[in-house]
């Protein structure tokens, strides 16, 4: 198992995803790497925004509407809260008899109630201005699980073994 600790620095997300992508590319077809990367980016951004920085869906929606989201995010990333929290990522690659990649992403936020959020997302669908990331994540990974607190997500990708 590989472990990574990511500070709340947006510029560090892409290099981290490139490392993870290099680790999994022998298990995932080239045609899927961009989807893998996009889904992982979404998970990590959610951990920073909604977890560590505690930006609520409604707040983000309002900031996007007023076109101040990026300004507000930059301000929050400079706070003590941002400096004192991080995102933990664990990667488990398949061993000889296993057929799955497991990625766990955990933030230090208060968590959320995944079932309640899923209902909101299903009611709004793709018409939502934000909050579609979880739908994208679920469309790529074979299993998506949350811990009880709602501050950790486990992503499972089943590997198609060659016959």
């Amino acid at each position: 198992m590989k472990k990574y600790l990511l500070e709340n620095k947006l510029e560090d997300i892409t290099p981290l995803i490139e490392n993870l992508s290099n680790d999994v590319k022998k298990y995932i077809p080239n045609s899927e790497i961009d989807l893998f990367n996009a889904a992982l980016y979404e998970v990590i951004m959610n951990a920073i925004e909604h977890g560590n920085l505690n930006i609520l869906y409604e707040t983000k929606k309002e900031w996007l509407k007023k076109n101040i989201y990026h300004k507000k995010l930059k301000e929050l990333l400079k706070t003590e809260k941002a400096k004192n929290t991080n995102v933990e990522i664990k990667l488990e690659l398949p061993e000889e008899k296993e057929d799955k990649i497991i990625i766990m992403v955990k933030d230090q936020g208060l968590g959320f109630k995944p079932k309640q959020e899923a209902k909101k997302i299903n009611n709004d669908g793709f018409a939502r201005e934000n909050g579609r990331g979880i739908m994208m994540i679920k469309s790529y990974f074979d299993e998506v699980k949350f811990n009880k607190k709602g501050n950790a997500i486990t992503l499972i990708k089943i590997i198609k073994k060659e016959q």
Side-chain angles (χ1 to χ4, degrees), residues 16-161:
L16 173 65
I17 289 174
E18 287 171 2
N19 282 340
L20 291 165
S21 192
N22 283 331
D23 289 336
V24 303
K25 69 181 174 186
K26 72 179 184 180
Y27 303 103
I28 294 177
N30 280 341
S31 59
E32 291 183 18
I33 287 293
D34 286 343
L35 293 170
F36 172 86
N37 292 347
L40 199 52
Y41 183 87
E42 188 65 34
V43 169
I44 293 169
M45 274 303 293
N46 282 348
I48 292 172
E49 289 176 331
H50 303 300
N52 291 343
L53 300 178
N54 197 30
I55 301 171
L56 302 175
Y57 164 74
E58 290 78 12
T59 304
K60 183 175 179 179
K61 182 178 177 179
E62 182 184 323
W63 289 351
L64 286 168
K65 197 174 186 179
K66 293 179 179 177
N67 204 22
I68 59 171
Y69 171 74
H70 294 288
K71 178 183 175 224
K72 293 287 193 180
L73 180 60
K74 279 184 180 179
E75 290 171 5
L76 285 172
L77 287 168
K78 293 176 185 173
T79 63
E80 284 302 309
K81 184 175 194 169
K83 292 175 183 161
N84 294 325
T85 56
N86 55 54
V87 178
E88 178 184 345
I89 297 120
K90 294 179 183 174
L91 171 66
E92 286 182 50
L93 296 172
E95 293 184 11
E96 284 187 34
K97 297 187 184 211
E98 294 176 347
D99 63 347
K100 56 188 165 188
I101 294 169
I102 302 171
I103 301 169
M104 192 276 296
V105 178
K106 184 178 182 182
D107 61 59
Q108 293 180 297
L110 301 172
F112 77 114
K113 295 184 177 24
K115 288 181 182 174
Q116 282 182 324
E117 290 302 313
K119 282 181 186 174
K120 287 182 196 175
I121 291 166
N122 287 337
N123 290 340
D124 293 348
F126 278 102
R128 292 171 65 108
E129 292 174 33
N130 62 313
R132 295 182 293 252
I134 204 75
M135 292 167 66
M136 178 189 31
I137 294 159
K138 286 184 173 184
S139 71
Y140 178 72
F141 286 96
D142 297 299
E143 283 183 64
V144 177
K145 302 175 187 176
F146 296 93
N147 67 348
K148 191 172 183 174
K149 183 177 176 182
N151 72 328
I153 185 171
T154 301
L155 310 166
I156 299 172
K157 181 68 181 168
I158 305 297
I159 304 305
K160 313 284 189 279
K161 296 239 180 186

